């Protein structure tokens, strides 16, 4: 357990990691300003959201100190960029997966010159942080591990010599076999890093822990199905964002505290929202902090974001791994199958996603869908057309917004969200 670091100690830690302190101060100022704007206007937040606010602010500070301490005690870690990397296996081998996806508009231009400007801002932002010396995790890993999802990512791994797991592009039996082999290889690589043998017992323990984390997220999601959700879409998104990097045990504990409070709020009839509002689903690319402006624009325009289907939403926690399997082999296959079920648009065809969306729309009584798409993400952008085909059969209106992590278009987005709310309200009459 690492004691809480004061400002002087944090700065000395960042210097020790070779970071550019001046630029990092700028990055922190920009993130804090953005967070205050997008989240702190909310009037009736659950008290326990403080735990997640702190975890978010700690992601470049106290969390880094925890990981440094863990590594000094002999622990190993790898950097990841996608939810296809199976946490269960990494944890069972005592390897800590650190999510490296950037999500700040501030760092995007620092990738210019090394990456084209007309590719996804998620990739530019991630590498912009590394190139500007503002990513505290640059030195905190044995290696970064990419994955063969979209073209922009694949070519970036090639350019910088980053190894990658092969995620197949189709879901036929032959693709499933390939994926199981990749997961086995990942296990061998993790074991080679730490020398810790993976036994049925430690793998089962790791499966249970990851399942519990998903159960917590799913339970928080369930509260959003209520007529008057006790937690806002903005705060539910924050919980998911934090879940990616927070220590798993600490996250589970904080999640249970939030759940207990939400139960009390439901009994007391306390909602996160004012009366009225239209229930919408956000569908599309992952939403790191730089994209929370979309939730802000919606929830300050009378829309209630009651479900997120993205990798910072239901896609991250849907599907569990059975906990009663006997052998390591059986567990590895079950883990591979759970991850193979993820419905990312990198798959062709991806009808699973349409079916999953239909189910979410029914369960959460969705009145409209907002496609939130990161600029230059062709997978999500093109797939929105297929989704709209399914939505029109269900009589559900949709709105597509393509944007990046910059702050400039926030007001313009609010105008579009307000107009969308009016369309849905008019349809109710
Ligand atoms: S499972 S969505 S985390 S790949 S937004 S970099 S796809 S151009 S992030 Fe993703 Fe895994 Fe799929 Fe989820 Fe490319 Fe699109 Fe950028 Fe993306």
């Amino acid at each position: 357990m690492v004691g809480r670091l004061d400002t002087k100690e944090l700065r000395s830690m960042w210097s020790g990691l070779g970071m550019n302190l001046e630029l990092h101060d700028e990055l922190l100022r920009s993130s804090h300003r953005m967070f205050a704007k997008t989240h702190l206007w909310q009037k009736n937040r659950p008290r326990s959201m403080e735990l997640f606010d702190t975890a978010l602010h700690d992601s470049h500070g106290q969390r880094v100190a925890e990981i440094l301490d863990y590594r000094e005690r002999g622990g190993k870690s790898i950097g990841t960029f996608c939810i296809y990397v199976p946490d269960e296996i990494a944890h069972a081998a005592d390897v800590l997966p650190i999510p490296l996806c950037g999500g700040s508009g501030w760092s995007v231009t620092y990738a210019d010159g090394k990456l084209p400007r007309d590719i996804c801002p998620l990739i530019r932002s991630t590498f912009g942080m590394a190139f500007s010396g503002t990513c505290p995790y640059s030195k905190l890993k044995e290696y970064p591990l990419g994955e063969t999802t979209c073209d922009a990512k694949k070519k970036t791994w090639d350019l910088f010599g980053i190894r990658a797991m092969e995620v197949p592009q189709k879901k036929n039996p032959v693709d499933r076999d390939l994926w199981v082999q990749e997961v086995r290889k990942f296990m061998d690589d993790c074991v080679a890093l730490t020398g810790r043998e993976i036994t049925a017992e430690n793998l089962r323990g790791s499966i249970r822990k990851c399942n519990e984390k998903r159960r917590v997220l799913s339970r928080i999601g369930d509260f959003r199905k209520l007529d008057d959700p006790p937690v806002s879409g903005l705060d539910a998104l924050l919980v998911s964002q934090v879940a990616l990097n927070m220590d798993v045990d600490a996250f589970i504990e904080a999640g249970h505290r939030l759940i207990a409070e939400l139960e009390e709020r439901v009994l007391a009839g306390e909602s996160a929202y004012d009366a009225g509002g239209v229930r919408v689903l956000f569908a599309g690319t992952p939403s790191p902090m730089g994209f929370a402006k979309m939730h802000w624009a919606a929830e300050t325009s009378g829309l209630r974001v009651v479900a997120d289907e993205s990798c910072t939403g239901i896609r991250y926690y849907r599907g569990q791994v059975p906990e009663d399997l006997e052998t390591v082999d059986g567990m590895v296959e079950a883990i591979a199958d759970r991850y193979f079920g993820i419905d990312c648009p990198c798959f062709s065809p991806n009808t699973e996603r349409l079916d999953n969306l239909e189910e979410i729309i029914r369960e959460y009584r969705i009145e409209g869908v907002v496609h939130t798409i990161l600029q230059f993400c062709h997978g999500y952008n093109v797939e929105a057309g297929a989704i709209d085909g399914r939505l029109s059969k269900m009589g559900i209106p949709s709105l597509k917004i393509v944007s990046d992590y910059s702050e400039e278009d926030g007001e313009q987005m609010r105008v579009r969200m307000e107009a969308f709310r009016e369309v849905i309200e008019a349809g109710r009459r």
Side-chain angles (χ1 to χ4, degrees), residues 91 141 169 193 232 234 241 244 285 350 353 370 411:
H91 288 301
K141 57 191 181 300
Q169 309 285 287
L193 271 185
S232 66
L234 262 164
Q241 289 166 334
L244 293 164
T285 43
N350 193 26
R353 181 167 176 230
V370 183
E411 285 307 321

Side-chain angles (χ1 to χ4, degrees), residues 91-104:
H91 288 301
D94 274 343
V95 173
L96 182 71
I98 305 175
L100 292 181
C101 279
S104 144

Side-chain angles (χ1 to χ4, degrees), residues 130-297:
F131 299 144
S132 59
T134 58
C135 175
Y137 299 108
S138 291
K139 292 195 176 153
L140 287 187
K141 57 191 181 300
E142 315 313 316
Y143 53 81
L145 178 66
E147 79 302 323
T148 56
T149 45
C150 68
D151 287 349
K153 275 181 168 178
K154 283 189 280 200
K155 292 297 107 187
T156 303
W157 314 144
D158 289 352
L159 184 64
F160 299 125
I162 292 173
R163 65 167 93 177
M165 282 184 92
E166 182 166 355
V167 176
Q169 309 285 287
K170 291 182 138 325
K171 289 201 173 169
N172 294 320
V174 66
D175 306 299
R176 189 254 179 197
D177 291 349
L178 182 147
W179 176 240
V180 174
Q181 274 178 44
E182 278 297 292
V183 172
R184 285 208 181 102
K185 182 169 176 309
F186 175 63
M187 180 166 82
D188 294 344
D189 290 345
C190 288
V191 170
L193 271 185
T194 58
R196 183 177 188 204
E197 193 198 344
I198 293 197
T199 62
E201 204 188 343
N202 64 22
L203 189 50
R204 196 177 301 111
S206 183
I207 288 172
R208 285 196 179 129
K209 197 187 270 201
C210 293
N211 278 349
E212 179 59 10
K213 177 174 165 180
R214 289 189 282 259
R215 266 193 290 276
V216 163
L217 285 161
S218 168
R219 179 72 191 106
I220 294 167
D222 284 345
F223 286 104
R224 300 166 77 192
K225 294 177 184 167
L226 299 173
D227 280 347
D228 283 310
V231 61
S232 66
L234 262 164
D235 279 341
L237 173 68
L238 178 62
V239 172
S240 291
Q241 289 166 334
V242 161
L244 293 164
N245 188 29
M246 196 171 171
D247 171 75
V248 184
D249 292 315
F251 174 81
I252 291 172
E253 201 188 315
H256 281 299
R257 278 179 58 188
L258 177 61
I259 290 168
E261 186 184 348
L262 295 183
E263 277 162 359
E264 282 169 20
R265 280 165 73 100
V266 172
L267 287 176
E270 222 177 314
S271 171
Y273 297 104
D274 291 337
V278 164
R279 301 174 68 85
V280 293
L281 160 69
F282 266 25
T285 43
S287 279
M289 271 318 286
F291 225 36
K293 66 176 182 181
M294 293 273 199
H295 284 68
W296 166 81

Side-chain angles (χ1 to χ4, degrees), residues 83 224 237 240-241 244 281-288 291 295 305 307-318 342-345 353 357 360 370 372-373 380:
I83 62 165
R224 300 166 77 192
L237 173 68
S240 291
Q241 289 166 334
L244 293 164
L281 160 69
F282 266 25
T285 43
S287 279
F291 225 36
H295 284 68
V305 184
D308 295 275
E309 72 103 32
S310 73
C311 296
T312 39
I314 294 173
R315 185 171 297 119
Y316 180 55
Y317 60 77
R318 177 193 293 119
I342 294 174
D343 57 354
C344 176
R353 181 167 176 230
L357 278 167
I360 299 172
V370 183
T372 52
I373 296 171
Y380 280 102

